Amino acid sequence: GYFGRAHVRYVTEQFVEAQFDYSICLRLDDQHAQALIERGHCFAQLGKMSEARADRRAALDLDPSLAKSGPKYAMDVMAAAI
């Protein structure tokens, strides 16, 4: 699905395309916290820090455990975006 394709684009550093696919994923499921975290990381990589912060906050509102157990690469970048 869109999340899988977005993740592949993310790990291959196609951040614009990944952000687009994560957005589609979130339109289909606005409760997908991991998509929010990863889209936020894309935003951070693209220099869109306000969008990155908003996605991190929304993801943590949905799933506070992400602050402790989320993927380290995403949380490190997102923490820097705050």
Side-chain angles (χ1 to χ4, degrees):
Y2 287 103
F3 182 80
R5 186 172 74 177
H7 186 73
V8 168
R9 288 177 167 178
Y10 168 77
V11 298
T12 58
E13 298 184 6
Q14 299 175 51
F15 299 116
V16 171
E17 295 85 354
Q19 175 264 306
F20 179 78
D21 283 344
Y22 286 126
S23 294
I24 293 172
C25 179
L26 288 161
R27 271 187 251 136
L28 297 171
D29 178 5
D30 64 356
Q31 303 294 301
H32 199 307
Q34 192 61 43
L36 281 164
I37 286 288
E38 292 187 24
R39 184 180 72 173
H41 186 217
C42 291
F43 283 139
Q45 290 294 319
L46 296 168
K48 299 178 178 182
M49 294 307 180
S50 63
E51 291 93 335
R53 284 189 292 272
D55 275 2
R56 182 175 192 271
R57 276 190 225 103
L60 293 176
D61 285 347
L62 289 172
D63 185 356
S65 72
L66 287 173
K68 295 179 183 167
S69 64
K72 184 171 177 17
Y73 67 89
M75 296 313 295
D76 288 346
V77 171
M78 295 309 295
I82 293 179

